Amino acid sequence: MADSRDSSPEGLVSTSGGSKYPNFEVDYVINYHLPPPTTPSPSGPLAEAEASFTQLITLLSKTGFALEVRPGRAPLTPTSPSSLLIFLRIASPSLLEKQIYRYRVQDWLYGVRTAAPGPPNSLSAPQEPITDAERLRLAYLLITKPVNEGGAGITPGIGQWRFVKAVFPLHDRKFNKEWITSWSTKYILDDSDLLKIRNQFGEKVAFYFAFLQSYFQFLLFPALFGSAAWLILGGFSWVYAVVNCLWGVVFFEHWKMKEVDLAVQWGVRGVGKIQLPRPQFKFEREGVDEVTGEIVKVYSPYKRLARQLLQVPFAGACVCVLGGLILGCFSIEIFITEVYMGPFKQYLTFLPTVLLTIFMPTFTTLLTKLAERLTELENYETVDAHQASFVQKIFVLNFITSYLGIFLTAFVYVPFGKILVPYLDVFQLTAQKFTAEGKPLPTKEWVINPDRLRKQVIYFTVTAQIVNFATEVVVPYAKRRIFRTVEKVQTEIKKGDQARVEWPKDAEEEERFLKRVREEAELGEYDVTIDYREMVIQFGYLSLFSVVWPLTGCSFLVNNWVEARSDAVKIAANSQRPIPWRADSIGPWLDALGFLSWLGSVVSAALVYLFNKSGGGQLGVGSVWDIPGWALLLAVMGSEHVYLVVQMVVRGVIRRLDSPGLRKERAERFAMRRELLERMVEEEVVSEEAGEKVGWEGQREGISREVLEEEARGLSGLGPEKRFWLRQRGAGESVEVGRGLIQLVSLAGGNNSTVKRQ
């Protein structure tokens, strides 16, 4: 059992003894869950898990992986679940080289690479380095690709592979320690830092940190200018509003250009055209692609469009459910804080917060599941299209939960408060039913609180950021400590139970390694979408509402310096190492940025017109009916048109930087594809005649017992990281070891004695 110090972030990012092979050359670990043996029978869930395990090992071995099976999570009781750990390593260097060559050629054919790759035997040359991210990405594709494409066809958690809880690479803890130590002493991250992240975690994660760094640097201007505006101009300044809107469009267009620069530097420009097929895609028929002539799976676009239109009622449901909750709590808060003067007021002021804390996560979770279900119904062919549609729905949810309260204060509470507050008497009448003899509750005359809007913006831009930091970093660490303490106590309690399962003891030289692998297996997956969502929503606060409180930029500047470091800790200590997927942009979040930047020009103009005292705004006039509607509309439209003009100018300048020969280059690349494919087919035929097992189409390279025995003789006398892969000779022994561990669990559920394997 792990002691408490192993759950600390420092323990999770520390090195493992300085070994040359800190991860024992493991590429991936499969966390294979075993159901509790509640109904031990030939057709029970444990029997299904055993059959699926055997098939899993067989497929992985045929695909070209060396395998080792070790005990995972031990069952505390016969009715609790347990797991096995399956360690994978690409056995043949030639298999890895050919996979890399295949995908690099594919990149070249699709225009991602500017030059054709060299032959496989030149992959180790300095000009063609193999990064950890590339190796792990291709290994994962071998695991998950369909069998007819040369992979093992493993889809974690789906269908026959529902017992496969996770497939994850192991953290390089030496890199993690150096990464966090380096970042903790730096103020600005440079290109070399981003390149290290890209080589370790892939371009998808690297693009997030690149966006965060670019956004952080751009925040220097609104932080400095906002401080000056707060001291000199005050809130609701039209000068600040104009400058802030111009800053928003410049940042947005600059980032679009920065994306292209990074994609070119990292060699992934246009990689979005090479999309991964979705295993869950259900096609109606097969057809012929008019361009390529290939057989493709077809799903009716009209059916998809009809299902996409369900996003409209979904948005309406979000507005009704979340908006109704926020509006109700908003009304209760106003009544208690500004009208009610009865007993227990100091405690009742927390009632709206309690209601939001209880119901908001519940409703958000339900609507998120509904969004997932709607996205599944839309039935997309590729992972990228599916993710983009899901992000759109999530953005609607977060837009409502993040901004609706401020919109209510700015455009309902202040302008129309005197008209609407009398209707809040319903709360007083309801409360009177619970008082003695129905006596009226003491109240005071309501007046508009002009400082409410500013306090609300300060809360969302300062306090909420601190709470979010605690939720991301502190809470997972505390939960891990608590769960491990509870598990330790449960283990001590169950020691006296009769039907108890004890895993075989780990080899001494593997004990420390397996201990931390089990710790990583219990961590959650890292989802970069969550971090993108936080930054985009934060950008929205700055674009939409910073005119209320110009120091918003200062708050975000400090927060984002901490955010970059806390996100690094989250990846290294609180999450499994992410699959190093490639990307050439921040994806659908770019559209959300553009929308918020445009909306900021409209909202800022309305806020300045309504609330700027020197301009005769709402606070100066005293009544919303004294404001000409045509003047407000003119101010909003004028601000929007200024935004659009600036955007056109900036975008036009950027387009001029594009190369005019791109179209010609694409045509030349297309002409070269057929020639190269024909040549590779000829080489594949020759290779097959020579007895090679892996070609362009990804034929599987099997692993025989003789091959492994030959390897064992060649590796005799080496360290434990080499001997780790020699304990099980071939897939047959791995199957037997795994089945033996499963039988331990099964026997524990069927008799009343302690089961232990010697």
Side-chain angles (χ1 to χ4, degrees), residues 1 4 480-490:
M1 190 68 187
S4 59
R480 190 162 58 247
R481 290 290 299 270
I482 293 172
F483 288 163
R484 289 184 178 176
T485 302
V486 171
E487 186 178 87
K488 185 176 181 180
V489 172
Q490 289 179 340

Side-chain angles (χ1 to χ4, degrees), residues 15-257:
T15 58
S16 56
S19 172
K20 182 179 178 182
Y21 305 98
N23 287 333
F24 281 30
E25 298 183 307
V26 173
D27 288 326
Y28 276 90
V29 178
I30 294 180
N31 190 7
Y32 192 85
H33 265 214
L34 301 176
T38 53
T39 55
S41 65
S43 59
L46 197 59
E48 293 180 14
E50 182 177 351
S52 179
F53 171 81
T54 302
Q55 187 178 8
L56 175 69
I57 296 297
T58 303
L59 285 172
L60 290 171
S61 177
K62 289 182 178 180
T63 304
F65 286 100
L67 301 153
E68 288 289 329
V69 178
R70 299 290 189 274
R73 180 183 178 89
L76 297 178
T77 67
T79 59
S80 62
S82 54
S83 66
L84 303 179
L85 297 177
I86 305 171
F87 295 86
L88 308 179
R89 173 175 64 89
I90 296 181
S92 169
S94 64
L95 173 61
L96 176 62
E97 290 180 350
K98 291 171 183 176
Q99 289 297 314
I100 292 175
Y101 179 60
R102 172 187 178 181
Y103 282 98
R104 287 182 177 180
V105 169
Q106 183 186 57
D107 289 347
W108 177 56
L109 294 177
Y110 277 89
V112 177
R113 295 172 58 91
T114 57
N121 57 11
S122 69
L123 290 178
S124 59
Q127 65 272 20
E128 294 285 348
I130 303 173
T131 65
D132 284 347
E134 184 176 20
R135 176 178 56 81
L136 291 175
R137 176 174 59 84
L138 297 184
Y140 188 81
L141 289 176
L142 274 177
I143 296 171
T144 57
K145 280 192 313 181
V147 175
N148 58 2
E149 296 181 12
I154 310 301
T155 53
I158 299 175
Q160 63 176 331
W161 309 120
R162 63 185 182 279
F163 300 108
V164 178
K165 182 181 179 182
V167 180
F168 62 95
L170 295 177
H171 278 291
D172 184 342
R173 300 200 172 188
K174 181 179 179 181
F175 170 85
N176 289 350
K177 182 178 181 180
E178 294 174 352
W179 179 30
I180 295 176
T181 302
S182 173
W183 279 31
S184 63
T185 58
K186 277 188 173 183
Y187 291 99
I188 301 294
L189 308 180
D190 52 33
D191 290 342
S192 63
D193 295 314
L194 299 177
L195 185 61
K196 291 177 182 178
I197 296 174
R198 174 247 179 181
N199 292 339
Q200 190 75 9
F201 302 112
E203 289 81 5
K204 191 171 185 178
V205 174
F207 260 109
Y208 165 71
F209 283 100
F211 171 75
L212 181 58
Q213 177 62 21
S214 182
Y215 178 41
F216 173 79
Q217 292 174 326
F218 260 77
L219 279 174
L220 290 171
F221 177 78
L224 295 175
F225 183 75
S227 301
W230 181 69
L231 293 172
I232 301 173
L233 304 174
F236 306 105
S237 167
W238 67 268
V239 175
Y240 176 85
V242 171
V243 173
N244 187 63
C245 289
L246 295 178
W247 171 87
V249 68
V250 171
F251 167 70
F252 175 65
E253 296 298 332
H254 168 268
W255 172 250
K256 289 167 63 177
M257 179 178 65

Side-chain angles (χ1 to χ4, degrees), residues 628-646:
W630 64 267
L632 176 61
L633 183 61
L634 183 63
V636 170
M637 293 184 63
S639 175
E640 180 192 22
H641 281 71
V642 170
Y643 172 89
L644 294 176
V645 169
V646 173

Side-chain angles (χ1 to χ4, degrees), residues 282-313:
K282 300 176 182 178
F283 64 97
E284 293 181 330
R285 59 184 177 84
E286 291 185 343
V288 179
D289 191 297
E290 296 180 356
V291 177
T292 63
E294 297 177 343
I295 302 297
V296 294
K297 299 175 180 178
V298 180
Y299 179 75
S300 172
Y302 300 104
K303 287 186 178 180
R304 180 174 293 124
L305 177 61
R307 296 179 178 184
Q308 287 173 336
L309 292 176
L310 293 176
Q311 294 186 30
V312 177

Side-chain angles (χ1 to χ4, degrees), residues 193-195 197-199 201-215 255-272 526 528 531-532 535 581-587 589-590 593:
D193 295 314
L194 299 177
L195 185 61
I197 296 174
R198 174 247 179 181
N199 292 339
F201 302 112
E203 289 81 5
K204 191 171 185 178
V205 174
F207 260 109
Y208 165 71
F209 283 100
F211 171 75
L212 181 58
Q213 177 62 21
S214 182
Y215 178 41
W255 172 250
K256 289 167 63 177
M257 179 178 65
K258 181 70 173 177
E259 278 188 340
V260 176
D261 292 340
L262 290 174
V264 172
Q265 292 176 22
W266 295 341
V268 291
R269 186 182 181 187
V271 77
Y526 172 70
V528 73
D531 290 333
Y532 274 128
M535 289 298 103
W581 293 119
R582 296 191 298 178
D584 56 3
S585 71
I586 64 175
W589 294 109
L590 188 65
L593 278 178

